[in-house]
Amino acid sequence: MRKTHDSTFQNFCHKPSFNPSTKPRPFRAYSFVPFSPLAMLDPTILTIGGIVLGIAIIERILERWGVIDLVDQFSKIMRFILPVTFYGALFYFFATFMF
């Protein structure tokens, strides 16, 4: 037979909090966010990459059509724009990404 315990509402409310008999074991939480390649899916970086990729595709199409003088102008421009875009996006990524 179970033992019952009579208690008033006031005694129940003023009773000290229940202390568990076993202590919770500490656990280590690891975060892989700084090393995740999914962190590069920032809309700004994707937009810049899409623009550069689109210009490269346009350059290939113009080369197939035989418009070599326009392709030469594109390559001169891209020789400057690609490194500036890359280092700018890299700087933006590290400036806005919280480690």
Side-chain angles (χ1 to χ4, degrees), residues 11 13 73 97:
N11 287 342
C13 289
Q73 293 297 324
F97 185 66

Side-chain angles (χ1 to χ4, degrees), residues 28-93:
R28 295 182 181 174
Y30 297 99
S31 174
F32 296 104
V33 172
F35 308 109
S36 174
L38 296 177
M40 290 294 288
L41 293 179
D42 185 40
T44 305
I45 292 179
L46 289 176
T47 303
I48 293 170
I51 290 170
V52 171
L53 185 64
I55 291 173
I57 291 172
I58 289 171
E59 184 179 354
R60 290 290 179 160
I61 290 171
L62 290 174
E63 186 179 359
R64 285 188 183 176
W65 286 352
V67 191
I68 301 299
D69 54 341
L70 197 55
V71 172
D72 188 40
Q73 293 297 324
F74 263 104
S75 67
K76 286 179 185 175
I77 293 170
M78 293 304 287
R79 208 173 291 151
F80 172 74
I81 289 179
L82 282 176
V84 169
T85 305
F86 171 75
Y87 288 117
L90 194 64
F91 176 75
Y92 172 80
F93 173 72

